[in-house]
Amino acid sequence: MNTVELKPYESSYEPIVLHDIIAFWKTHYADDTLDDARRDLENWTGPSHELYVILFDGSAVGFLHMGSRGGACDWLEDIFVREEYRSRGIGGQAVQLVWDALRAQGLETMYLEVVPSNEAALRLYHRLGFCNLNTVTLNRSVKQKSQVGTETIHGLPFKTYRPHQG
């Protein structure tokens, strides 16, 4: 059957979503605690946010978090599918479902940001028809990082990093 659905978050999903938020941040090399996950959940279910549980054949397998940066909820802020369910098209179907819902509301654009080192996400978003707006997001952090490469932008070399695991 392999049906993908988006279910608006409700409190009965709290334990599984908290677990998934912690796992989500681990994929970004961050060690979130249960308290951190609770704060994220509170923020992601607050005003200007929509949180969905991704269901695959009726079982919760991840989440999709939409947000607003001024207007309607039109930013795909976060998406997570548990590792054992990846490479089955679930994430792509979830993004398509939320895109269809936005279009039904009359919205014409959905935005997202992705780091260049997340090749799987880039391939997915390309396949789904997203285009590059050529924006660059930079950060500065006190956290220890491991350099993974260099990107040249307008002749300026920028080091690319991933937070240190350990």
Side-chain angles (χ1 to χ4, degrees), residues 4-19:
V4 175
E5 301 172 74
L6 293 180
K7 175 128 172 109
Y9 172 81
E10 53 190 47
S11 60
S12 63
Y13 287 108
E14 183 175 332
I16 195 98
V17 170
L18 289 172
H19 175 271

Side-chain angles (χ1 to χ4, degrees), residues 29 116-117 145-151 158-163:
Y29 307 101
S117 63
K145 299 176 183 180
S146 300
Q147 185 174 349
V148 294
T150 303
E151 294 181 30
F158 285 88
K159 296 176 183 175
T160 55
Y161 292 99
R162 149 176 90 211

